[in-house]
């Protein structure tokens, strides 16, 4: 027995409680940063000890929480969860640093914002680490609250509309899932919510389908898949940049993570049954999100719509049922976190400088703030899956893996590479290129703090762009285990080639 | 056979009285109608081997409860009568519909139930002792708990209706002093109101007292009677005039 | 027919919680009668609180001493079984915290016409209706008995014992007396009306079974033939009376008006204690007396539950008065609990559902008392600030209070890590295992709708700018304690519900005495 | 074709340094920021030179096909490795060689630009990516380089990003390339689905086992990719706009190297996916011919010197494509023409750059004229390049282009004759450029003072012109290149013999001469109007890039914009509208429903009574069922 | 005969119910409630004889007690509200609504 995961959650959780009571804002910020860095250090330390060839779930802990209901405090990570926890732990300190001055104008105190951030971190780690379905659900729902307050209290002009929309959408999905969770528990009749106890228990196809739907809709709202997506642009556009990063970068991943971990593994038959629809939705989402992104006039909404497109890729990968696509999808979740994180943060810096998030208010920023522009470009390129940046690897794996099984939908999905170029570069052109417009001339370039925000993200994008193997090894482990429980086989190549040069 | 006869008579009476309760404009009539229903029921109880209940019904219900109703009716104005215009849209229609539906459903249900001949209460020849035994054994707890109800009721009456004295009670002396102070301030007559008959030629309550100059003492007019007569159109004009001038005077006084 | 009457046996120990409460109430009345006015409050408050604590202690003592009893006490009048004791404990707890909420909420002199000189004088003289305390105790005693009555007669009497004091208490608000009196009158008229239905149902069931014992009615279900229509109609009419008390649609209309008009501590008591007691009684009637009739009554209760959830949730959305909103929310919650009521099948399933309901009642009761406690704290010059617009920006003005209220609201919305979540979980899971999945789906949709208005208040408190002349915050120590306790309970039950779940399931184990 | 062997260590093993040098340089220059301004350009020049040295050393190693594994990229999908074989070395030499010259030239050309360091960083980045493209040992890594050059091209075209035209052109280039990439990607998926790997060796070895349809599909998809990168029809439209970039960029990327990537791809995959006579190959040749004609026609009507050259580039690459589609017989000519074109087109572009440098960045040839005396070195080198491109006998272009035309004629007479016509048009438009620029009367503005460029710019010109003179002959005569490349791309069954003055060659020469003569008549001897006269329909057709942009606009852009607006409207009003409408509906029903709570106690009682009646009825009904 | 009594009781109950709905005077409304209670009592007494046990009569007896207490409380409330509003009409009290 070890306490890695509980410790990982405890540090930010306790930290959140502590930060909430620090009177001086500056002290609170520094404390938050330190706590998040400690969490990151612990996460890295844990990651190092993860064995890619070991048990499915490692660092497992299991205590009875509510024995009457068969609920446990059961945590553990496989490769999939591990990389997502890593993602969260990496993003939080960056977001803290990026949000240094974001909370000053909010409706509530600065320290509250940072306490909420830490609370959110604890829950994010929890949601990925939970190996008890109920515990997962608890984190899944509880996560909404800090995010709700972050949007609602510190967001833009339409914040309360956005916050409420976000909360209600998610809550609705969550409640549907609750029904499914309950039904799963009672149909399984094992008096336990442990994930491992519930795998393969529901055999009856009809029941599987209903339960699948309950889970899936919740995840599809979270992810978000078209047509459940309309909350995201509002929420992301209104949230402060840091919160938007965590929202799109991590929180939404819970949806796709849930599809992979829960929908597929708990209800394999139903998943197969639903695959055509999910694939169709994914492809529609990819194209539709991209087209909408092109049509946006607001930078943050644009980024949000790109994410909708990207989430389409992730769910496509998840449901393509090939190990390459699923590995790619998982990797995509991580990379998208970095990529969208960088985009949102740099966009946030841009917006806070100019005081507007409308594309039309910008122009020629590159002239006055070349580093800002350059980093924005790199982030943007990662958004369009430029090879050499990590999102390419994952996107390629997703489409390449999906193509093996679903050629035509994948081809349609792949056409988004063109649309992606259009939405990113057009936005870049309109904001950064051309003559410097009025109101932009006084813009300053990135300061040291901001460079420390952007630097690590870009470094990660580049490093994993060229050398994604460590991540992939870890993920493949998780995906392979999942594959065993779902029992699918990868399609074989038509002309098998001895694997000498691959 | 006797029972059937009694039943039909009283059934008709009680239903008509009940309808009267519902449809009479005046609250007092309603109360009386309710009394009729209760009495009829008392008789029906008696017919149905429940002599004790019959008596209690008369004493408690018709005696006590109805009196209470009437008292309160007096308090809130016995003359008040409901307007027959319904103000809530659709209320009557739906009420009647629901009432009819409900009655029909109940009647249908009861009619449908297969009810055999009554066993009768021959096993309990002594009604009161038998009841007593039940009340003090099987239902003793309920019986005790009803005490809570009665205390509550008493307490409620105290809370809602009892005016606790907050200031020391005024003596005759205090009152007299007050009256004269009032007189000094407003010139209001400190003497008691005139009795109806000092200069009167009638002793009836509906006749106003006469002042020494033969005019009418407005203050001696019974307002209720005056109002009634006004409504009936039988108010003598001089009384009306006196009341009017008096009310003007009162108005002036207030200013 | 014998000449001698065998003396009835009364299990005094088992009934001691009841007796303590009633006894204390009577002592209170005596205090009113004989103690000088300035001393009355000093007697009444400790007396009330102590008696509630004592009764609570006795409940525990009874269980500790002989284990969970399972018998009909007092010649079969009172069911002393697990659920009854659990509900007693719950009601006593809720009554205790509700009593603590009582501050200056009551009219100094109920007789004085609002706004009259007389009233002013009463205020300046420092008059107070300390009769409130014995009245509350009577009401609590009625609630205890209502939930534990083993025959319909006791149930009817208990219903009245519970209701009569409440009718009066509703009319005694110190401020906004017109509303308060109106609430009292509406509550009274409708209550009397509904208890007539209850009584008629009792009559028909008596006619059907020849007895008013719940268990005898139950056994006669299989033995009596040919009179089913009496049974059906009787059960339905009886149901009207019970549904009225829990505020199920379409018998809910009194709730918003009464909750709004009544003095807030009394609202808290009604929203928690009365609801708990009413559900106790409802379960007894439906499960014990009509237990073998499931298929006959459950479709109807299904419909009622759906209507209750949906109407409660939808109507709450557009409310602008916080007490009224909480009242509608209470209606919706009654609907949620009803989903578990219909989920009967085997004994195991029943005890699951029952323990779920019991847990829900505790959790919801505490949360709602807490929420009303917060309502009493936010004051305008004219009394409590009910209108939601006055609550705008409360998060800025008094962050802790706003946070606590937000927390209560989230609990009512059923967010995990609050007691409301496990409560909802418990009843929904009971309903699902009882095969009422469709009902649960409706419940879920209603929850989502309901979440909207809870969230709306939070939005208002936290994300809106405070009004310039916002309400002031009054924090009497007792109220603070109540709110704090409720918040604590909401957290603890949300994070670590196991002990209470255990208690509830232990209480529900043997189900109701038959 | 020889089998590919694993190799590590030695010079070959260090071949990755070729990529590493420019990449490191680019990284240093970009991260170093202004601190590196002082010496950035020197580092920038050093990097390709160093790579060139490595390339030469590799070239000097015994010929063979070596696979240098570097590291595992995507486990189970692809590794990063380099394939060092004659084909890749040839390209590496071209890229680093011509690249180095252009780097040197840029020192002078960009001397006054405050962002010169960044420019060099981008150039280095390009070189690194291009080398990765040609050295990759599998399709995925090739694609990595492929996209890398696309990015570098984007950055360089948009180098003067403050010019909206430049920014737009950069974006357009990237987007159009992405269309090609889309095809390429689908090709990649198909390759993986078919073979389970991307590595060249296994894929080529087993290609024959795959079904014909699959191979054709892969071929077409790769061709789409190639069309994008090499500006072939129908994805040609970006190249002309790409001239917004600084001239060295046009020389390096949009003439000498990047645009030839498509040819490289086709040649590299030739054996597997474009075998002689296959459908895919036929399509390649058709695309090539169409583009060579289109490019040439566009070239005839452009007054902008760089655009005229760009049209020519399109056209010349069309020739290469045509050759690449002709199977092993054409590969050597394709590559040879690619190499010589690398030299003479770089020469021409840099010469044009030199002219622009002298003319205050004026690009309109109608404002040039009579520059030959003022800029002798530029004129001479430019003229050599001109002779080379029109195929003047014994210069480089003569050998290589003629080889292509001959091979095409052998394969299919129609293709051959079209190629000949293309050559004639080339003669016309290139002569036009030369005459308008260097001959005739001076037409420039008064404040322009043409002067010869500094030596750092002229020396590269001189070296390139020397290459333009001799390289072709060296490569073609005695089939040197063909033999050298043989192990990598395979040899034709019979090695072709070079016939000077074959009938086809003569016909070509005649047409070229005719073209040049017409040009002389219209632009050399006659006065060139400063403002372009309204031409015939054909002129307009050519001026407007054969209506390519108009077509794009009408078919893609306008419907795209319309679709985007529709989608945004639909999302706001439709999807979101449904949700908001639902919310409003619930709210509205709440608003209406709460009216039933009238406040009248009698209504409440009615509700109870009706409810009771309904309940009784329902129960009664349910109970009796 | 039992059925007759029961139908009578049902009729009286329904009439009482309708009365509650249509009358505006609070006291009369309350009287109608009393009528309903009386109808119940009639049913109880009838059923007592039907079943031959006295439970029904006992209940009826209790109902009378309860009704008496209820009347006290109810009338007290009505009087209070009358003092304030000078009206005993239930329709006048509709401040609380929606």
């Amino acid at each position: 027995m070890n306490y890695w995961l509980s410790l990982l959650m405890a540090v930010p959780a306790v930290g959140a409680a502590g930060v909430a009571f620090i009177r001086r804002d500056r002290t609170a910020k520094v404390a938050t940063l330190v706590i998040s860095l400690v969490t990151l250090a612990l996460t890295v330390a844990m990651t190092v000890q993860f064995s890619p060839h070991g048990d499915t779930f490692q660092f497992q802990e299991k205590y009875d929480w509510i024995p009457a209901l068969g609920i446990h405090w059961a945590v553990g990570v496989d490769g999939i969860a591990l990389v997502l926890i890593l993602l969260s732990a990496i993003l939080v300190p960056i977001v803290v640093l990026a949000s240094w001055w974001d909370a000053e104008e909010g409706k509530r105190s600065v320290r509250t914002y940072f306490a909420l951030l830490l609370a959110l971190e604890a829950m994010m780690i929890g949601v990925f680490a939970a190996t008890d379905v109920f515990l997962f659900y608890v984190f899944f729902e509880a996560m909404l609250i800090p995010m709700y307050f972050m949007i609602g209290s510190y967001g833009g002009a339409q914040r309360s509309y956005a916050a409420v929309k976000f909360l209600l959408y998610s809550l609705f999905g969550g409640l549907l899932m609750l029904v499914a969770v309950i039904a799963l528990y009672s149909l399984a009749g094992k008096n336990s919510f442990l994930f491992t106890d519930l795998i393969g228990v529901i055999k009856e196809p009809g029941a599987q389908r209903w339960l699948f739907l309950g889970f899936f809709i919740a995840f599809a709202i979270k992810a978000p898949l078209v047509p459940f997506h309309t909350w995201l642009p509002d929420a992301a556009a209104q949230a402060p940049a840091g919160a938007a990063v965590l929202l799109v970068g991590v929180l939404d991943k819970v949806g796709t993570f849930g599809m992979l971990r829960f929908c597929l593994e708990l209800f394999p038959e139903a998943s197969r049954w639903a695959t055509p629809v999910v694939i169709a939705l994914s492809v529609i989402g990819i194209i539709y999100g991209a087209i909408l992104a092109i049509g946006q006039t607001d930078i943050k909404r644009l980024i949000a719509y790109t994410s909708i497109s990207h989430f389409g890729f992730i769910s496509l990968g998840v449901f393509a049922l090939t190990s390459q696509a699923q590995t790619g999808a998982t990797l995509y979740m991580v990379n998208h976190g970095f990529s969208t994180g960088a985009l949102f943060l740099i966009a946030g810096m841009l917006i806070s400088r100019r005081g507007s998030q409308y594309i039309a208010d910008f122009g020629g920023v590159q002239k006055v703030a070349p580093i800002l522009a350059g980093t924005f470009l790199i982030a943007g390129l990662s958004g369009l899956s430029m090879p050499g940046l990590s999102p390419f690897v994952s996107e390629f794996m997703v489409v390449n893996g999906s193509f093996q099984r679903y050629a035509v939908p994948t081809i349609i999905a792949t056409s988004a590479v063109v649309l992606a170029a259009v939405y990113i570069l057009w936005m870049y052109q309109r904001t950064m290129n051309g003559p410097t417009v009025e109101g932009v001339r006084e813009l300053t370039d990135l300061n040291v703090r901001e460079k420390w925000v952007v630097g690590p993200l870009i470094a990660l994008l580049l490093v994993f762009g060229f050398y994604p193997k460590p991540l992939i090894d870890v993920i493949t482990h998780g995906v392979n285990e999942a594959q065993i429980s779902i029992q699918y086989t990868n399609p074989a190549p038509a002309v098998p080639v001895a694997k000498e040069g691959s | 056979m006797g029972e059937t006869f009694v039943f039909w008579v009283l059934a008709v009476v009680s239903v008509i009285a009940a309808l009267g309760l519902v449809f009479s404009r005046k609250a007092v009539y309603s109360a009386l109608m309710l009394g009729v229903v209760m009495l009829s029921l008392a008789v029906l109880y008696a017919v149905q081997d429940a002599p004790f209940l019959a008596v209690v019904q008369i004493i408690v219900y018709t005696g006590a409860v109805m009196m209470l109703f009437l008292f309160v009716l007096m308090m809130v104005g016995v003359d008040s009568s409901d307007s027959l215009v319904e103000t809530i849209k659709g209320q009557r229609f739906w009420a009647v519909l629901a009432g009819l539906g409900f009655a029909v459903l109940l009647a249908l249900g009861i009619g449908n139930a297969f009810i055999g001949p009554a066993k009768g209460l021959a096993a309990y020849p002594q009604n009161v002792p038998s009841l007593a035994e039940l009340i003090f054994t099987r239902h003793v707890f309920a019986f005790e708990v009803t005490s809570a109800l009665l205390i509550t009721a008493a307490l409620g009456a105290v809370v809602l209706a009892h005016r606790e004295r907050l200031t020391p009670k005024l003596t005759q002396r205090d009152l007299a002093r007050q009256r004269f102070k009032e007189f000094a301030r407003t010139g209001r007559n400190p003497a008691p109101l005139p009795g109806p008959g000092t200069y009167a030629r009638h002793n009836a309550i509906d006749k106003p007292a006469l002042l020494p100059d033969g005019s009418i003492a407005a203050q001696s007019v019974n307002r209720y009677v005056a109002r009634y007569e006004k409504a009936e159109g039988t108010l003598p004009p001089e009384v009306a005039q006196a009341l009017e001038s008096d009310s003007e005077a009162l108005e002036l006084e207030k200013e | 027919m014998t000449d001698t009457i065998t003396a009835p046996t009364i299990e005094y120990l088992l009934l001691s919680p009841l007796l303590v409460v009633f006894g204390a109430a009577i002592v209170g009345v005596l205090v009113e009668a004989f103690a000088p006015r300035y001393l009355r409050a000093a007697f009444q408050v400790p007396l009330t609180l102590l008696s509630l604590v004592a009764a609570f202690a006795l409940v525990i003592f009874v269980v500790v001493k002989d284990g969970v009893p399972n018998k009909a006490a007092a010649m079969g009048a009172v069911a002393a079984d697990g659920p009854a004791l659990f509900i007693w404990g719950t009601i006593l707890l809720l009554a205790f915290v509700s009593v603590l909420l009582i501050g200056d909420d009551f009219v100094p002199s109920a007789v004085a016409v609002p706004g009259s000189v007389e009233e002013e004088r009463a205020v300046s003289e420092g008059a107070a209706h300390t009769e409130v305390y014995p009245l509350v105790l009577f009401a609590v005693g009625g609630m205890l008995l209502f939930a534990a009555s083993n025959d319909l007669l006791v149930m009817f009497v208990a219903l009245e014992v519970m209701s009569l004091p409440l009718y009066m208490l509703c009319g005694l608000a110190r401020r906004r007396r017109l509303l308060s009196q109106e609430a009292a009158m509406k509550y009274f008229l409708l209550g009397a009306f509904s208890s007539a239905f209850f009584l008629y149902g009792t009559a028909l069931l008596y006619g059907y079974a020849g007895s008013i014992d719940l268990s005898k009615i139950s056994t006669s279900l299989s033995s009596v033939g040919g009179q089913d229509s009496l049974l059906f109609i009787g059960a339905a009419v009886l149901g009207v009376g019970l549904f009225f008390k829990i505020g199920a649609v379409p018998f809910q209309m009194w709730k918003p008006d009464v909750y709004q008009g009544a003095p807030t501590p009394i609202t808290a008591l009604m929203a928690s204690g009365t609801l708990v007691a009413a559900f106790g009684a409802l379960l007894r009637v439906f499960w014990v007396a009509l237990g073998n009739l499931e298929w006959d009554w459950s479709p109807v209760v299904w419909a009622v539950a759906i209507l209750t959830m949906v109407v409660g949730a939808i109507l709450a959305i557009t409310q602008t008065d916080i007490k009224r909103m909480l009242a509608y929310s209470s209606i919706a919650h009654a609907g949620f609990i009803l989903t578990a009521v219909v989920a009967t099948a085997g004994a195991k399933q029943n005890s699951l559902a029952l323990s779920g309901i019991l847990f829900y009642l505790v959790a919801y009761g505490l949360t709602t008392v807490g929420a009303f406690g917060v309502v009493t704290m936010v004051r305008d010059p004219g009394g409590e600030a009910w209108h939601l617009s006055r609550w705008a920006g409360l998060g800025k003005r008094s962050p802790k209070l706003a946070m606590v209220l937000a927390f209560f609201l989230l609990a009512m919305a059923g967010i995990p890590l609050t007691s409301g979540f496990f409560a909802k979980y418990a009843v929904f899971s009971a309903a699902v295992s009882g095969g009422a999945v469709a009902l649960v789906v409706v419940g879920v949709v209603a929850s989502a709708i309901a979440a909207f208005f809870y969230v709306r208040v939070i939005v208002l408190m936290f994300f809106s700018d405070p009004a310039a002349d916002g309400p002031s915050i009054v924090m009497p120590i007792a109220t603070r304690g109540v709110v704090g306790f409720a918040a604590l309970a909401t957290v603890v039950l949300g994070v670590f519900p196991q002990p209470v779940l255990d208690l509830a399931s232990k209480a529900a184990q043997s189900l109701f005495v038959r | 074709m020889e089998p590919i062997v694993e190799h590590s260590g030695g010079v070959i093993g260090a071949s990755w340094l070729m990529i590493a040098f420019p990449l490191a340089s680019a990284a240093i220059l970009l991260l170093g920021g202004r601190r590196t301004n002082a010496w950035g350009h020197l580092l920038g020049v050093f990097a390709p030179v160093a790579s060139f040295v490595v390339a030469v050393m590799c070239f000097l190693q015994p010929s063979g096909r070596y696979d240098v594994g570097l590291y595992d990229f995507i486990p189970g999908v692809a590794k990063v490795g380099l394939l060092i074989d004659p084909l890749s070395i040839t390209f590496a030499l071209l890229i680093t060689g011509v690249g180095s010259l252009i780097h040197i030239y840029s020192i002078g050309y960009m001397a006054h630009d405050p962002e010169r360091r960044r420019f060099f960083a981008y150039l280095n980045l390009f070189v690194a990516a291009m080398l990765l493209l040609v050295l990759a040992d599998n399709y995925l890594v090739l694609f990595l380089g492929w996209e890398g050059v696309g990015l570098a091209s984007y950055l360089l075209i948009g180098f003067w990003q403050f010019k909206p035209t430049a920014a737009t052109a950069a974006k357009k280039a990237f987007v159009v390339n992405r269309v090609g990439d889309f095809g390429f990607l689908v090709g990649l998926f198909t390759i993986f689905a078919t073979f389970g790997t991307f590595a060249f060796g296994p894929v080529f070895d087993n290609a024959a086992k795959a079904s014909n349809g699959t191979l054709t599909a892969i071929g077409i998809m790769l061709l789409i990719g190639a069309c994008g990168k090499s500006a072939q029809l129908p994805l040609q439209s970006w190249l002309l706009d790409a001239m917004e970039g600084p001239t060295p960029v046009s020389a390096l990327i949009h003439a000498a190297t990047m645009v030839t990537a498509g040819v490289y791809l086709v040649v590299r995959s030739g054996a597997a996916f474009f075998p002689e006579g296959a459908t895919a190959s036929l399509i390649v040749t058709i695309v090539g011919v169409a583009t060579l004609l289109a490019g040439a026609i566009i070239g005839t009507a452009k007054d902008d010197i760089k655009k005229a050259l760009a049209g020519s580039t399109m056209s010349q690459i069309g020739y290469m494509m045509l050759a690449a589609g002709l199977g092993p017989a054409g590969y050597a000519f394709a590559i040879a023409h690619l190499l010589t074109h690398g030299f003479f087109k770089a020469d021409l572009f840099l010469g044009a750059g030199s002219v622009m440098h002298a003319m205050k960045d004026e690009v309109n040839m109608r404002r040039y004229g009579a520059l030959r005396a003022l800029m002798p070195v530029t004129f001479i080198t430019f003229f050599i390049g001109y002779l080379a491109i029109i195929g003047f006998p014994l210069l480089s272009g003569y050998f290589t282009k003629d080889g292509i035309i001959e091979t095409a004629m052998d394969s299919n007479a129609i293709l051959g004759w079209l190629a000949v016509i293309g050559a004639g048009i080339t003669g016309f438009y290139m002569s036009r450029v030369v005459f308008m620029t260097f001959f005739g009367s001076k037409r420039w503005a008064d404040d322009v003072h043409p002067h010869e460029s500094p030596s750092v710019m002229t020396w590269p010109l001189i070296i390139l012109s020397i290459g333009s003179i001799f390289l072709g002959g060296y490569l073609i005569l005695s089939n040197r290149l063909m033999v050298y490349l043989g192990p990598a791309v395979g040899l034709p069954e019979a090695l072709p013999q070079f016939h000077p003055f074959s009938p086809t060659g003569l016909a070509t020469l005649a047409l070229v001469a005719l073209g040049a003569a017409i040009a002389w008549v219209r632009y050399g001897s006659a006065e060139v109007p400063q403002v372009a006269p309204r031409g015939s329909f054909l002129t307009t057709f050519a001026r407007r890039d054969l209506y390519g942009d108009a077509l794009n606009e009408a078919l893609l852009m306008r419907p795209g914009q319309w679709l985007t607006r529709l989608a945004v409207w639909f999302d706001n009003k439709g999807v979101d509208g449904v949700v908001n409408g639902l919310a409003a509906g619930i709210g509205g029903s709440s608003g209406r429903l709460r009216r039933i709570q009238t406040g009248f106690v009698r209504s409440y009682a009615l509700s109870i009574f009706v409810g009771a009646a309904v309940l009784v009825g329902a129960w009664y009904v349910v109970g009796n069922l | 005969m039992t059925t007759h009594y029961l139908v009578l009781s049902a009729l009286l109950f329904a009439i009482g119910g309708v009365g509650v709905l249509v009358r505006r005077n609070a006291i009369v409304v309350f009287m109608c409630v009393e009528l309903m209670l009386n109808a119940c009592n009639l049913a109880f007494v009838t059923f007592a004889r039907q079943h031959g046990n006295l439970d029904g009569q006992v209940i009826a007896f209790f109902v009378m007690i309860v009704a008496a207490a209820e009347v006290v409380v109810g009338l007290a409330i009505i009087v209070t509200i009358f003092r304030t509003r000078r009206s005993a009409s239930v329709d006048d009290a509709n401040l609380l609504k929606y």
Side-chain angles (χ1 to χ4, degrees), chain D residues 34-58:
Chain D
R34 297 202 180 84
R35 274 160 296 192
T36 59
N37 267 359
W39 42 269
H41 53 285
L42 299 178
L43 179 68
V45 170
F46 167 77
V49 173
S51 299
F52 181 65
V53 173
V54 179
V56 170
M57 285 163 68
C58 291

Side-chain angles (χ1 to χ4, degrees), chain D residues 415-555:
Chain D
L415 291 178
W417 280 111
L418 289 174
V420 171
I421 292 169
I425 302 174
T426 309
F428 171 72
Y429 70 76
M430 278 315 299
S431 309
R432 175 174 174 267
V433 169
V434 170
F435 296 148
M436 281 176 86
T437 307
F438 293 102
F439 294 84
S441 56
K442 72 166 203 170
R443 300 183 294 273
W444 64 77
D446 292 338
D447 59 338
V448 175
H449 307 288
H451 51 88
E452 185 53 274
S453 297
S455 58
V456 74
M457 287 168 70
T458 47
W459 274 106
L461 289 176
I462 293 165
I463 298 171
L464 287 170
S465 57
I466 293 170
S468 309
I469 296 170
F470 301 110
L471 189 62
Y474 174 78
L475 295 174
I476 299 297
L477 294 174
S478 54
N479 288 318
R480 275 197 194 86
L481 184 66
M482 195 171 280
V483 173
Y484 177 68
L485 289 178
V489 300
L491 287 169
E493 282 150 24
L495 288 181
Q497 289 302 308
F498 184 75
H499 301 290
F501 311 115
S502 67
T504 319
L506 285 174
T508 312
L509 277 179
L511 273 180
V512 168
L514 179 64
I518 295 172
W520 174 252
V521 170
R522 293 207 47 193
Y523 303 103
S525 60
E527 186 64 21
V528 177
Q530 293 225 6
V531 178
R534 266 197 58 162
S536 64
F537 165 72
L538 276 175
T539 318
T540 318
F541 181 59
R543 276 194 191 136
R544 300 198 48 188
D545 306 345
L546 316 184
Y547 294 111
D549 281 343
L551 206 65
N552 283 345
E553 197 173 310
L555 285 184

Side-chain angles (χ1 to χ4, degrees), chain C residues 210-226:
Chain C
S211 170
I212 46 167
D213 280 11
L214 297 180
S215 51
K216 293 219 180 99
I217 295 173
S218 170
T219 48
S220 68
L221 292 177
S222 48
S223 60
V224 176

Side-chain angles (χ1 to χ4, degrees), chain A residues 165 229 288 305 366 466 495, chain D residues 71 161 193-194 571 576:
Chain A
K165 199 170 179 183
H229 64 279
Y288 185 66
Y305 275 111
Q366 196 181 40
F466 283 103
V495 180
Chain D
Y71 65 90
Q161 43 76 25
T194 312
D571 203 52
D576 210 22

